[in-house]
Amino acid sequence: MRDTSQVDVADEPISRAEELVGELHRITTELQAVDLTQCSDAALVDVAAETERAIARLGFAGDRQIVEATERDLPRKTGHRSVIQFMTHRLRVAHPMRRRDQMSATATFPSLTGEPLPPQHPTLAEAFADGRVGSAHVHAVLDVLDQIPHAVDHDVKVAAERQMAEIAVDHTPADIAALGARLLALVDPDGTLADDTDRKRRRQLYVNRQRADGTAKMTANLTPELLARVTMLLAVWAKPGMNNPDDPESPCGSVEDADPEAVEAAAERDTRTPAQLNHDAFNALLKAVLDDGLLGKSHRGLPTQLIIKADLDDLVREAGFATTATGTLIPITDLIKLAADTQPWLAVFKDATAVPLYFGRGKRLATREQRLVSFARPDGESCSTPDCGIAAAHVEIHHAQLDWGLGGLTDITDLAPACPKHNRMVGDQPGQYTTRMVRDGPDEGRCAWRLNAEPGAPPNPERINRRPDIPRRFAEQLKQVRTEIHGPKPESGDQPRFEMRQIIDLRNASDAEATLASILLAAAYPRG
């Protein structure tokens, strides 16, 4: 269980906790392979129920261990800036934020004098420790309790916690939400205790992950102020006939500024639902904001425009997806429609690149061309730090091989995208990162990150943010499967004109290559 590569534990006795965990793994291995056919139906039900109870109890025990590790300052000693980062990367906790909320509600923390404090929700904690409720039940209860207005008296809150803990023992998480709504109605029957403090605390807007078809769900809790603005927008932009992307004759903008006859004619052709009207109005508003330049001229060195990367083969086939600098996937067919109203930048890679990418010590900051080329690389969609998904539109360009202040070069082969948080965490102190550019092997051209630990602390491995090229890998798998089924396909001799996969050093380019680069540069960045 221990990593002894840097810490000498030869004379350190094995603790009882280590013995128990080892025994737990032994029992678990045996339980995974035990012959269940020997159980009667009733016995099998009991075994399954007790196993689930044991899983819940282990969750409580794990929370206790994380609290102890936090009290010993182990997250900092192992180089992590927060408990959440320690839980994510060292303990491999799946949902660290939810786990933290669970611990805050049910775990026992020491006081400033070292005395144990009672859990925030003691009745719920007791049920969790005994395995009568699981993690999902705990979070369902917390979601209900979080909706109690802060102005409610303390004794009412305590009674509500006890009532919800009792409900959790005998009901499912879905039941807890429904029964909790009835409890909230009793706590604040007139709905008058909620005030501006509660409204501000609950304000939120989420743009969820994209689905397989490219769409995404947006959810929000709006303050009265924002709600007033949104409803006014929809009142004048979401009228039938207005801002219809499927009707080229549909007026754009506010209904107050449109020709009434054109609106009436477009409304007769409009078959959209009210929800679709709202969506299209919101889209039209944001398009107007972008077109008018209200977001500014640049963002982190990138122009404040839609910046999209697409594979040439996909463009030719008019299939597949393109990627924006904000990490959004756009179907190629939609990209072609967008491109009709845009002035595209051209990033072409063959045996040469059309932009100046090598500056040595001549410049410290990456140019706009370097930022665009960085995004166009296969790993350029996000921050290069492992497990960081910050999109390219929000990153900085990091001197990954050697910091500028130490003599590093501002060459594209030494630069990597890094979000502001991780870019400022690079250094030689514990808790900071050491980075380098991989020069060979399958990860050539990527940036490797190592989190520095304190001397004597368990070491951290070097890691790379590998974001698999799903379209390419799937195409290769499909080709292999078809070859296995149908045999090799005859070569047609046709080759794509450009290979958009790598950047070649131009510093030793021949005259012919330099001439080609000049031609491509003129095409990519036309003047006037």
Side-chain angles (χ1 to χ4, degrees):
M1 291 192 303
R2 299 184 182 184
D3 187 337
T4 59
S5 58
Q6 289 188 0
V7 183
D8 185 8
V9 294
D11 300 328
E12 186 177 327
I14 297 178
S15 68
R16 179 58 178 157
E18 290 175 293
E19 292 178 348
L20 289 173
V21 171
E23 183 70 8
L24 177 63
H25 281 296
R26 187 194 65 77
I27 294 174
T28 302
T29 300
E30 186 176 349
L31 184 61
Q32 289 174 340
V34 70
D35 184 7
L36 297 177
T37 61
Q38 298 180 5
C39 295
S40 65
D41 291 351
L44 182 58
V45 171
D46 290 340
V47 166
E50 287 302 310
T51 299
E52 293 302 317
R53 181 186 172 199
I55 291 172
R57 299 189 70 190
L58 283 174
F60 184 86
D63 290 349
R64 181 169 172 264
Q65 293 159 12
I66 295 175
V67 170
E68 177 66 19
T70 303
E71 290 303 310
R72 297 189 186 188
D73 202 20
L74 288 180
R76 183 189 63 80
K77 290 179 180 178
T78 54
H80 299 87
R81 297 189 67 185
S82 66
V83 176
I84 294 296
Q85 189 185 51
F86 174 73
M87 293 166 63
T88 301
H89 300 300
R90 198 54 190 261
L91 305 185
R92 298 179 60 80
V93 174
H95 302 286
M97 298 293 287
R98 291 175 63 82
R99 188 71 171 271
R100 181 199 61 183
D101 294 341
Q102 174 179 292
M103 288 192 303
S104 299
T106 61
T108 298
F109 291 86
S111 67
L112 294 178
T113 59
E115 296 295 324
L117 297 172
Q120 182 180 354
H121 298 302
T123 308
L124 184 62
E126 181 181 354
F128 186 34
D130 192 47
R132 288 176 290 146
V133 301
S135 179
H137 299 83
V138 171
H139 289 291
V141 170
L142 295 182
D143 289 342
V144 172
L145 298 179
D146 185 60
Q147 298 179 57
I148 298 178
H150 82 287
V152 170
D153 292 337
H154 175 68
D155 56 351
V156 176
K157 293 181 180 178
V158 172
E161 184 265 339
R162 293 181 179 177
Q163 176 66 78
M164 290 308 304
E166 291 179 4
I167 290 173
V169 170
D170 298 319
H171 293 83
T172 68
D175 293 336
I176 292 171
L179 296 172
R182 296 172 59 183
L183 177 66
L184 292 171
L186 296 175
V187 170
D188 185 13
D190 300 323
T192 58
L193 295 180
D195 57 17
D196 192 53
T197 300
D198 295 303
R199 287 188 286 269
K200 289 182 177 179
R201 176 170 58 89
R202 294 171 184 162
R203 74 187 189 279
Q204 54 183 293
L205 190 151
Y206 293 108
V207 179
N208 299 333
R209 286 185 182 274
Q210 277 189 285
R211 304 184 183 97
D213 63 354
T215 63
K217 185 177 181 180
M218 178 184 291
T219 58
N221 285 328
L222 308 183
T223 60
E225 178 183 2
L226 178 55
L227 178 62
R229 291 193 172 100
V230 169
T231 52
M232 177 55 68
L233 161 69
L234 299 179
V236 296
W237 283 57
K239 292 290 185 181
M242 292 297 302
N243 301 297
N244 189 347
D246 298 324
D247 185 356
E249 304 298 327
S250 172
C252 297
S254 169
V255 69
E256 303 297 331
D257 301 326
D259 180 5
E261 295 183 359
V263 174
E264 183 178 357
E268 293 180 357
R269 304 186 298 269
D270 200 338
T271 60
R272 294 173 295 170
T273 66
Q276 291 170 335
L277 288 169
N278 293 343
H279 173 279
D280 295 341
F282 192 54
N283 183 49
L285 174 67
L286 293 181
K287 183 178 183 301
V289 169
L290 284 168
D291 292 345
D292 290 344
L294 297 180
L295 296 183
K297 295 182 179 180
S298 66
H299 174 68
R300 299 193 183 280
L302 287 170
T304 310
Q305 300 169 349
L306 283 178
I307 304 172
I308 304 172
K309 176 172 68 173
D311 190 283
L312 181 60
D313 292 338
D314 290 338
L315 288 172
V316 172
R317 295 185 302 113
E318 296 188 13
F321 287 87
T323 306
T324 72
T326 55
T328 301
L329 297 178
I330 296 182
I332 292 295
T333 52
D334 291 347
L335 172 62
I336 294 173
K337 295 176 183 178
L338 282 172
D341 300 320
T342 62
Q343 180 178 356
W345 288 73
L346 183 63
V348 178
F349 306 99
K350 189 194 175 197
D351 295 329
T353 179
V355 292
L357 302 178
Y358 301 92
F359 294 101
R361 296 287 296 171
K363 291 180 178 289
R364 183 178 71 87
L365 300 179
T367 64
R368 177 170 60 175
E369 289 82 3
Q370 286 177 318
R371 289 192 59 89
L372 289 171
V373 168
S374 175
F375 168 60
R377 293 192 298 191
D379 61 346
E381 289 94 342
S382 66
C383 173
S384 60
T385 311
D387 302 315
C388 183
I390 300 298
H394 309 296
V395 303
E396 299 170 348
I397 298 299
H398 164 53
H399 290 76
Q401 187 64 27
L402 185 64
D403 187 75
W404 168 266
L406 300 177
L409 305 179
T410 309
D411 289 348
I412 192 64
T413 51
D414 288 352
L415 302 178
C419 68
K421 169 187 171 182
H422 289 120
N423 198 16
R424 284 156 182 74
M425 288 177 64
V426 175
D428 56 5
Q429 297 300 312
Q432 295 180 315
Y433 283 99
T434 299
T435 64
R436 69 177 181 90
M437 295 298 294
V438 180
R439 299 303 192 192
D440 51 32
D443 291 315
E444 182 179 1
R446 297 181 183 269
C447 180
W449 295 69
R450 185 191 298 275
L451 185 62
N452 304 329
E454 287 191 349
N460 296 306
E462 189 175 69
R463 303 173 65 219
I464 293 175
N465 194 2
R466 296 181 179 88
R467 297 173 62 86
D469 187 349
I470 298 298
R472 179 184 61 81
R473 293 176 63 179
F474 177 72
E476 292 174 353
Q477 292 283 358
L478 183 59
K479 181 179 179 181
Q480 180 179 348
V481 170
R482 287 175 173 171
T483 299
E484 293 173 357
I485 297 175
H486 305 292
K489 183 178 179 180
E491 295 291 338
S492 65
D494 295 334
Q495 296 293 332
R497 182 177 179 182
F498 299 115
E499 180 63 33
M500 302 176 68
R501 289 298 176 196
Q502 61 182 5
I503 300 170
I504 304 299
D505 194 341
L506 263 185
R507 287 174 287 190
N508 297 318
S510 66
D511 292 341
E513 290 173 333
T515 301
L516 174 61
S518 299
I519 295 173
L520 292 175
L521 180 59
Y525 310 106
R527 297 184 180 275

